[in-house]
């Protein structure tokens, strides 16, 4: 049921190469991880976005887009979703929403590609069944990685799917595989139990960084943006206040020497839908630098609002 891949990105590329033909429709959340969109488009697929709310992708909108594709004579092949701590919004899809999405895809014969790169980085709340579990392993591929829990430089990920899908993925692989040394090191780490001793330490670190960033945002930036506190993952997704011009903020942030990713980067079809959003990565910033980073962002927001 498993393939070992060159990180989660290698798994996603393998899935696109295996299942996408020119003209196929791929559905993605809006906003979404732009790397997958580039992979799908490299296979000459048509990318169709589906709106989200705070609980993830909207099942009614998903069904409407699938109906529209069918009426147009197009073949909808894949739905790409990040159900746990979505990139960039950090939204987590609740159980009833997951069940609805799985049911819609089942009716339309659409395979779910579930990117679970952040699933182990959970700070609060119960773990929820994966799309793979909810479909009994039929019609879903779950993608995972050790990059978020061990080290990005290891570049070791995996897919979990039915044997038929796994066989197809293996037949289409042309990346020459992954490092046997890295595989053996991680296998030993998991078999010894030390990996599962390590993960809670990683979670504690990221929880502490999230809490620090949220506390400072409350203090410095609450007049200029709003956000939801994520239950896990790597990111904070900020919606800018109406009086704050995004382009003025970008200029002011550059002058203050602080960086973020604009929401436009995560809207592959209509970038301006993301104009009033920014993504902050508490995972990226050293813990000791978070206070200075948020102070600079707060100053940039004040300057942009003044302009």
């Amino acid at each position: 049921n498993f393939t070992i891949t060159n990180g989660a990105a290698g798994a996603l590329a393998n899935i696109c190469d295996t299942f996408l033909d020119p003209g196929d429709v791929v559905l993605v959340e809006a906003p979404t991880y732009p790397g997958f969109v580039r992979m799908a488009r490299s296979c000459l697929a048509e990318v169709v976005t589906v709106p989200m709310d705070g609980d993830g992708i909207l099942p009614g909108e998903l069904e409407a887009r699938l109906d529209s594709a069918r009426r147009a004579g197009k073949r909808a092949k894949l739905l790409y979703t990040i159900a746990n701590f979505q990139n960039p919004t950090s939204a987590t899809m609740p159980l009833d929403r997951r069940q609805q999405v799985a049911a819609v895809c089942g009716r339309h014969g659409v395979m779910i590609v579930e990117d679970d790169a952040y699933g182990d980085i959970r700070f609060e709340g119960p773990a929820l069944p994966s799309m793979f579990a909810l479909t009994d392993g039929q019609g879903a591929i779950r993608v995972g990685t050790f990059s978020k829990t061990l080290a990005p430089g290891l570049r070791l990920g995996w897919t979990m799917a039915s044997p038929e899908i796994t066989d197809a993925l293996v037949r289409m692989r042309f990346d020459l595989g992954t490092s046997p040394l890295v595989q053996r090191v991680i296998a030993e780490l998991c078999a010894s139990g030390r990996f599962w001793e390590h993960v809670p330490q990683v979670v504690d670190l990221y929880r502490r960084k999230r809490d620090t960033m949220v506390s400072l945002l409350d203090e410095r930036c609450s007049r200029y943006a709003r956000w939801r506190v994520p239950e896990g993952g790597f990111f904070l997704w900020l919606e800018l206040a109406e009086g704050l011009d995004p382009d003025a903020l970008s200029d002011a942030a550059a002058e203050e020497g602080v960086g973020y990713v604009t929401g436009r980067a995560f809207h592959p079809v209509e970038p301006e839908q993301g104009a009033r959003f920014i993504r902050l990565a508490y995972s990226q910033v050293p813990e000791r630098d978070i206070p200075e980073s948020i102070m600079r962002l707060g100053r940039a927001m004040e300057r942009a609002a003044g302009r």
Side-chain angles (χ1 to χ4, degrees), residues 1-5 14-15 18-19 111 132 137 140-142 158-173:
N1 292 91
F2 288 87
T3 66
I4 304 300
T5 65
N14 186 202
I15 291 167
T18 302
F19 293 108
M111 186 183 299
F132 182 85
I141 305 174
R142 188 178 178 200
W158 46 266
T159 65
M160 180 168 64
S162 68
E164 295 81 6
I165 291 174
T166 300
D167 288 346
L169 292 171
V170 171
R171 286 196 300 271
M172 281 298 296
R173 285 188 61 177

Side-chain angles (χ1 to χ4, degrees), residues 4-306:
I4 304 300
T5 65
N6 186 21
L12 296 174
N14 186 202
I15 291 167
C16 289
D17 289 341
T18 302
F19 293 108
L20 293 181
D21 294 311
D24 284 342
V25 170
V26 176
L27 299 110
V28 301
E29 299 156 337
T32 192
Y33 167 55
F36 178 80
V37 173
R38 289 194 297 271
M39 295 173 198
R41 285 177 170 165
S42 73
C43 295
L44 305 182
E46 177 185 352
V47 175
V48 174
T49 57
V50 184
M52 298 175 58
D53 63 11
D55 288 333
I57 196 167
L58 295 168
E61 296 289 343
L62 173 62
E63 183 122 48
R65 281 155 177 75
L66 289 170
D67 287 337
S68 176
R70 187 182 66 249
R71 289 193 299 269
K74 298 177 180 179
R75 172 74 167 116
K77 283 274 188 75
L78 304 177
L79 166 67
Y80 173 72
T81 181
I82 308 173
N84 291 321
F85 321 127
Q86 199 251 6
N87 182 9
T89 68
S90 287
T92 295
M93 200 184 301
L95 178 58
D96 60 344
R97 181 73 62 88
R98 296 177 191 225
Q99 292 168 329
Q100 294 171 43
V101 169
V104 170
C105 290
R107 285 196 297 272
H108 289 266
V110 172
M111 186 183 299
I112 300 171
V113 179
E114 177 185 13
D115 187 345
D116 199 23
Y118 309 99
D120 289 327
I121 312 298
R122 174 173 287 280
F123 309 141
E124 294 99 22
L128 296 172
S130 66
M131 292 294 192
F132 182 85
L134 292 174
T135 61
D136 293 324
Q138 303 300 313
I141 305 174
R142 188 178 178 200
V143 175
T145 180
F146 290 97
S147 296
K148 306 301 185 288
T149 50
L150 282 177
L154 293 177
R155 305 306 307 145
L156 196 75
W158 46 266
T159 65
M160 180 168 64
S162 68
E164 295 81 6
I165 291 174
T166 300
D167 288 346
L169 292 171
V170 171
R171 286 196 300 271
M172 281 298 296
R173 285 188 61 177
F174 299 106
D175 62 1
L176 303 181
T178 59
S179 166
L181 175 61
V182 171
Q183 290 188 45
R184 287 176 181 271
V185 168
I186 293 180
E188 175 62 27
L189 193 68
C190 292
S192 69
R194 282 175 289 178
F195 174 75
W196 298 110
E197 295 171 0
H198 168 77
V199 170
Q201 298 177 46
V202 174
V203 172
D204 286 345
L205 170 64
Y206 286 132
R207 182 191 293 112
R208 196 165 62 240
K209 294 172 73 174
R210 178 207 62 178
D211 291 346
T212 300
M213 187 171 282
V214 168
S215 175
L216 291 164
L217 284 169
D218 286 338
E219 180 182 329
R220 295 284 298 155
C221 303
S222 57
R223 291 175 54 196
Y224 306 109
R226 61 180 182 178
W227 56 88
R228 293 177 64 174
V229 179
E231 294 180 348
F234 274 19
F235 310 113
L236 280 163
W237 184 240
L238 276 59
E239 182 178 7
L240 303 179
E242 284 300 322
L244 192 63
D245 179 73
D247 295 326
L249 176 60
S250 178
D251 293 340
E255 293 164 2
E256 292 288 346
V258 64
Y260 55 80
V261 183
T262 171
R264 293 184 178 99
F266 303 99
H267 283 270
V269 177
E270 298 180 82
E272 285 308 303
Q273 288 185 357
R276 303 209 59 77
F277 295 85
I278 63 174
R279 192 195 74 176
L280 306 182
Y282 49 82
S283 54
Q284 169 71 16
V285 186
E287 190 173 5
R288 65 182 179 276
D289 292 340
I290 291 177
E292 178 68 21
S293 302
I294 298 305
M295 182 175 292
R296 293 186 184 201
L297 180 63
R299 284 202 303 260
M301 287 181 169
E302 290 171 359
R303 294 172 61 179

